Amino acid sequence: NAGVIQTPRHKVTGKGQEATLWCEPISGHSAVFWYRQTIVQGLEFLTYFRNQAPIDDSGMPKERFSAQMPNQSHSTLKIQSTQPQDSAVYLCASSLQQYFGPGTRLTVL
Amino acid sequence: GQQVQQSPASLVLQEGENAELQCNFSTSLNSMQWFYQRPGGSLVSLFYNPSGTKQSGRLTSTTVIKERRSSLHISSSQTTDSGTYLCAMFSGGNYKPTFGKGTSLVVHP
């Protein structure tokens, strides 16, 4: 069991560029959660899927952020036109019992 | 809105001392969970504890759902306990998670 896999581990983008973050949940887990963590705001819930269906996206910024789960084996978080304030660690968790991946550290220059 | 209040925000101990961390929830909750995060690391679940008391080694979690509070007791602290402890509540029909800001623990030898 490799645990939750997140790629890339680090991503640096220029302001205005697009960033796509990937999450592979633990096999058999039906729920996938996305979070953003910063020193100032702490850990913020973004969105989650259960059985690939979007359940709650109330934490997602209304513009530029989108998430998908096209199949059971992966979910993506896409940020269009990245801004410096998007810099954070983006965490993915698998299952309602929250098995976290290592995170993707996004830096927007 | 939903809030999770953690206290203390930070704690410094000498090795061997005990620690008591608290979480208070502003709304009714379905369940809650305690996590540990090493600096620069991801989150690891310590307890999934909807109610009552659970123990694992030197860690004990007690949740009183009707009083909307939970505590994490660390006995005989060790330097390896240093890190951030976060609690999360899960509420509503969608089981949406809300995290506290965390308690930063430093244990000196």
Side-chain angles (χ1 to χ4, degrees), chain A residues 89-107:
Chain A
V89 176
Y90 289 83
L91 291 160
C92 171
S94 172
S95 170
L96 294 179
Q97 294 202 355
Q98 309 290 304
Y99 294 86
F100 277 83
T104 294
R105 180 174 295 278
L106 175 66
T107 302

PDB file of all heavy atoms in Angstrom, chain A residues 89-107:
ATOM      1  N   VAL A  89       0.737  24.872   0.411  1.00  0.00           N
ATOM      2  CA  VAL A  89       0.839  23.415   0.255  1.00  0.00           C
ATOM      3  C   VAL A  89      -0.578  22.900   0.037  1.00  0.00           C
ATOM      4  O   VAL A  89      -1.483  23.184   0.838  1.00  0.00           O
ATOM      5  CB  VAL A  89       1.466  22.752   1.489  1.00  0.00           C
ATOM      6  CG1 VAL A  89       1.459  21.232   1.332  1.00  0.00           C
ATOM      7  CG2 VAL A  89       2.900  23.252   1.684  1.00  0.00           C
ATOM      8  N   TYR A  90      -0.765  22.162  -1.050  1.00  0.00           N
ATOM      9  CA  TYR A  90      -2.071  21.600  -1.363  1.00  0.00           C
ATOM     10  C   TYR A  90      -2.038  20.124  -0.986  1.00  0.00           C
ATOM     11  O   TYR A  90      -1.208  19.354  -1.463  1.00  0.00           O
ATOM     12  CB  TYR A  90      -2.393  21.802  -2.838  1.00  0.00           C
ATOM     13  CG  TYR A  90      -2.672  23.262  -3.139  1.00  0.00           C
ATOM     14  CD1 TYR A  90      -1.623  24.153  -3.362  1.00  0.00           C
ATOM     15  CD2 TYR A  90      -3.978  23.750  -3.142  1.00  0.00           C
ATOM     16  CE1 TYR A  90      -1.872  25.495  -3.603  1.00  0.00           C
ATOM     17  CE2 TYR A  90      -4.233  25.095  -3.380  1.00  0.00           C
ATOM     18  CZ  TYR A  90      -3.173  25.958  -3.604  1.00  0.00           C
ATOM     19  OH  TYR A  90      -3.428  27.287  -3.835  1.00  0.00           O
ATOM     20  N   LEU A  91      -2.963  19.770  -0.112  1.00  0.00           N
ATOM     21  CA  LEU A  91      -3.001  18.419   0.432  1.00  0.00           C
ATOM     22  C   LEU A  91      -4.236  17.683  -0.064  1.00  0.00           C
ATOM     23  O   LEU A  91      -5.326  18.262  -0.176  1.00  0.00           O
ATOM     24  CB  LEU A  91      -3.011  18.461   1.956  1.00  0.00           C
ATOM     25  CG  LEU A  91      -1.710  18.929   2.613  1.00  0.00           C
ATOM     26  CD1 LEU A  91      -1.973  19.407   4.033  1.00  0.00           C
ATOM     27  CD2 LEU A  91      -0.695  17.808   2.634  1.00  0.00           C
ATOM     28  N   CYS A  92      -4.055  16.422  -0.304  1.00  0.00           N
ATOM     29  CA  CYS A  92      -5.143  15.539  -0.705  1.00  0.00           C
ATOM     30  C   CYS A  92      -5.283  14.479   0.381  1.00  0.00           C
ATOM     31  O   CYS A  92      -4.272  13.999   0.929  1.00  0.00           O
ATOM     32  CB  CYS A  92      -4.787  14.910  -2.050  1.00  0.00           C
ATOM     33  SG  CYS A  92      -5.885  13.595  -2.589  1.00  0.00           S
ATOM     34  N   ALA A  93      -6.493  14.122   0.710  1.00  0.00           N
ATOM     35  CA  ALA A  93      -6.739  13.061   1.688  1.00  0.00           C
ATOM     36  C   ALA A  93      -7.723  12.064   1.105  1.00  0.00           C
ATOM     37  O   ALA A  93      -8.655  12.416   0.366  1.00  0.00           O
ATOM     38  CB  ALA A  93      -7.272  13.633   2.998  1.00  0.00           C
ATOM     39  N   SER A  94      -7.520  10.823   1.456  1.00  0.00           N
ATOM     40  CA  SER A  94      -8.305   9.710   0.935  1.00  0.00           C
ATOM     41  C   SER A  94      -9.160   9.147   2.071  1.00  0.00           C
ATOM     42  O   SER A  94      -8.673   9.037   3.200  1.00  0.00           O
ATOM     43  CB  SER A  94      -7.315   8.657   0.416  1.00  0.00           C
ATOM     44  OG  SER A  94      -7.917   7.469   0.045  1.00  0.00           O
ATOM     45  N   SER A  95     -10.408   8.864   1.784  1.00  0.00           N
ATOM     46  CA  SER A  95     -11.327   8.259   2.752  1.00  0.00           C
ATOM     47  C   SER A  95     -11.891   9.285   3.725  1.00  0.00           C
ATOM     48  O   SER A  95     -11.251  10.309   4.024  1.00  0.00           O
ATOM     49  CB  SER A  95     -10.634   7.141   3.538  1.00  0.00           C
ATOM     50  OG  SER A  95     -11.428   6.717   4.627  1.00  0.00           O
ATOM     51  N   LEU A  96     -13.089   8.999   4.229  1.00  0.00           N
ATOM     52  CA  LEU A  96     -13.688   9.869   5.244  1.00  0.00           C
ATOM     53  C   LEU A  96     -12.816   9.924   6.495  1.00  0.00           C
ATOM     54  O   LEU A  96     -12.883  10.865   7.269  1.00  0.00           O
ATOM     55  CB  LEU A  96     -15.093   9.388   5.597  1.00  0.00           C
ATOM     56  CG  LEU A  96     -16.147   9.474   4.491  1.00  0.00           C
ATOM     57  CD1 LEU A  96     -17.477   8.930   4.986  1.00  0.00           C
ATOM     58  CD2 LEU A  96     -16.301  10.900   4.002  1.00  0.00           C
ATOM     59  N   GLN A  97     -11.959   8.926   6.682  1.00  0.00           N
ATOM     60  CA  GLN A  97     -11.074   8.920   7.846  1.00  0.00           C
ATOM     61  C   GLN A  97      -9.748   9.623   7.576  1.00  0.00           C
ATOM     62  O   GLN A  97      -8.851   9.582   8.401  1.00  0.00           O
ATOM     63  CB  GLN A  97     -10.862   7.491   8.335  1.00  0.00           C
ATOM     64  CG  GLN A  97     -12.152   6.887   8.871  1.00  0.00           C
ATOM     65  CD  GLN A  97     -11.921   5.742   9.820  1.00  0.00           C
ATOM     66  OE1 GLN A  97     -10.800   5.305  10.028  1.00  0.00           O
ATOM     67  NE2 GLN A  97     -12.989   5.234  10.415  1.00  0.00           N
ATOM     68  N   GLN A  98      -9.630  10.281   6.419  1.00  0.00           N
ATOM     69  CA  GLN A  98      -8.566  11.251   6.186  1.00  0.00           C
ATOM     70  C   GLN A  98      -7.149  10.683   6.237  1.00  0.00           C
ATOM     71  O   GLN A  98      -6.372  10.953   7.157  1.00  0.00           O
ATOM     72  CB  GLN A  98      -8.685  12.412   7.190  1.00  0.00           C
ATOM     73  CG  GLN A  98     -10.059  13.055   7.270  1.00  0.00           C
ATOM     74  CD  GLN A  98     -10.407  13.853   6.026  1.00  0.00           C
ATOM     75  OE1 GLN A  98      -9.686  14.758   5.616  1.00  0.00           O
ATOM     76  NE2 GLN A  98     -11.509  13.483   5.379  1.00  0.00           N
ATOM     77  N   TYR A  99      -6.804   9.925   5.225  1.00  0.00           N
ATOM     78  CA  TYR A  99      -5.416   9.505   5.040  1.00  0.00           C
ATOM     79  C   TYR A  99      -4.784  10.530   4.098  1.00  0.00           C
ATOM     80  O   TYR A  99      -5.146  10.605   2.928  1.00  0.00           O
ATOM     81  CB  TYR A  99      -5.346   8.104   4.428  1.00  0.00           C
ATOM     82  CG  TYR A  99      -5.883   7.023   5.336  1.00  0.00           C
ATOM     83  CD1 TYR A  99      -7.243   6.717   5.360  1.00  0.00           C
ATOM     84  CD2 TYR A  99      -5.031   6.295   6.172  1.00  0.00           C
ATOM     85  CE1 TYR A  99      -7.740   5.730   6.194  1.00  0.00           C
ATOM     86  CE2 TYR A  99      -5.523   5.305   6.995  1.00  0.00           C
ATOM     87  CZ  TYR A  99      -6.878   5.028   7.000  1.00  0.00           C
ATOM     88  OH  TYR A  99      -7.371   4.049   7.828  1.00  0.00           O
ATOM     89  N   PHE A 100      -3.850  11.297   4.616  1.00  0.00           N
ATOM     90  CA  PHE A 100      -3.299  12.409   3.852  1.00  0.00           C
ATOM     91  C   PHE A 100      -2.115  11.983   2.997  1.00  0.00           C
ATOM     92  O   PHE A 100      -1.312  11.128   3.392  1.00  0.00           O
ATOM     93  CB  PHE A 100      -2.844  13.527   4.790  1.00  0.00           C
ATOM     94  CG  PHE A 100      -3.954  14.436   5.224  1.00  0.00           C
ATOM     95  CD1 PHE A 100      -4.782  14.098   6.285  1.00  0.00           C
ATOM     96  CD2 PHE A 100      -4.185  15.629   4.559  1.00  0.00           C
ATOM     97  CE1 PHE A 100      -5.806  14.936   6.679  1.00  0.00           C
ATOM     98  CE2 PHE A 100      -5.212  16.476   4.951  1.00  0.00           C
ATOM     99  CZ  PHE A 100      -6.030  16.124   6.012  1.00  0.00           C
ATOM    100  N   GLY A 101      -2.007  12.646   1.846  1.00  0.00           N
ATOM    101  CA  GLY A 101      -0.813  12.515   1.029  1.00  0.00           C
ATOM    102  C   GLY A 101       0.255  13.482   1.499  1.00  0.00           C
ATOM    103  O   GLY A 101       0.035  14.257   2.439  1.00  0.00           O
ATOM    104  N   PRO A 102       1.425  13.459   0.848  1.00  0.00           N
ATOM    105  CA  PRO A 102       2.540  14.300   1.272  1.00  0.00           C
ATOM    106  C   PRO A 102       2.375  15.763   0.903  1.00  0.00           C
ATOM    107  O   PRO A 102       3.091  16.617   1.422  1.00  0.00           O
ATOM    108  CB  PRO A 102       3.740  13.690   0.543  1.00  0.00           C
ATOM    109  CG  PRO A 102       3.138  13.071  -0.677  1.00  0.00           C
ATOM    110  CD  PRO A 102       1.794  12.567  -0.255  1.00  0.00           C
ATOM    111  N   GLY A 103       1.436  16.052  -0.008  1.00  0.00           N
ATOM    112  CA  GLY A 103       1.203  17.440  -0.397  1.00  0.00           C
ATOM    113  C   GLY A 103       2.008  17.867  -1.604  1.00  0.00           C
ATOM    114  O   GLY A 103       3.037  17.263  -1.951  1.00  0.00           O
ATOM    115  N   THR A 104       1.522  18.903  -2.248  1.00  0.00           N
ATOM    116  CA  THR A 104       2.239  19.582  -3.325  1.00  0.00           C
ATOM    117  C   THR A 104       2.477  21.013  -2.880  1.00  0.00           C
ATOM    118  O   THR A 104       1.525  21.731  -2.580  1.00  0.00           O
ATOM    119  CB  THR A 104       1.433  19.588  -4.634  1.00  0.00           C
ATOM    120  OG1 THR A 104       1.287  18.253  -5.118  1.00  0.00           O
ATOM    121  CG2 THR A 104       2.138  20.444  -5.691  1.00  0.00           C
ATOM    122  N   ARG A 105       3.755  21.406  -2.843  1.00  0.00           N
ATOM    123  CA  ARG A 105       4.066  22.785  -2.483  1.00  0.00           C
ATOM    124  C   ARG A 105       4.077  23.614  -3.754  1.00  0.00           C
ATOM    125  O   ARG A 105       4.923  23.428  -4.627  1.00  0.00           O
ATOM    126  CB  ARG A 105       5.423  22.878  -1.789  1.00  0.00           C
ATOM    127  CG  ARG A 105       5.801  24.313  -1.382  1.00  0.00           C
ATOM    128  CD  ARG A 105       7.077  24.356  -0.568  1.00  0.00           C
ATOM    129  NE  ARG A 105       6.916  23.680   0.709  1.00  0.00           N
ATOM    130  CZ  ARG A 105       6.377  24.231   1.792  1.00  0.00           C
ATOM    131  NH1 ARG A 105       5.952  25.489   1.756  1.00  0.00           N
ATOM    132  NH2 ARG A 105       6.285  23.539   2.913  1.00  0.00           N
ATOM    133  N   LEU A 106       3.114  24.518  -3.873  1.00  0.00           N
ATOM    134  CA  LEU A 106       3.001  25.397  -5.036  1.00  0.00           C
ATOM    135  C   LEU A 106       3.565  26.762  -4.691  1.00  0.00           C
ATOM    136  O   LEU A 106       3.168  27.364  -3.701  1.00  0.00           O
ATOM    137  CB  LEU A 106       1.539  25.535  -5.457  1.00  0.00           C
ATOM    138  CG  LEU A 106       1.260  26.520  -6.600  1.00  0.00           C
ATOM    139  CD1 LEU A 106       1.890  26.025  -7.895  1.00  0.00           C
ATOM    140  CD2 LEU A 106      -0.233  26.743  -6.778  1.00  0.00           C
ATOM    141  N   THR A 107       4.485  27.210  -5.509  1.00  0.00           N
ATOM    142  CA  THR A 107       5.054  28.545  -5.358  1.00  0.00           C
ATOM    143  C   THR A 107       4.773  29.323  -6.631  1.00  0.00           C
ATOM    144  O   THR A 107       5.147  28.871  -7.725  1.00  0.00           O
ATOM    145  CB  THR A 107       6.569  28.485  -5.113  1.00  0.00           C
ATOM    146  OG1 THR A 107       6.823  27.694  -3.942  1.00  0.00           O
ATOM    147  CG2 THR A 107       7.143  29.875  -4.914  1.00  0.00           C
TER     148      THR A 107
END
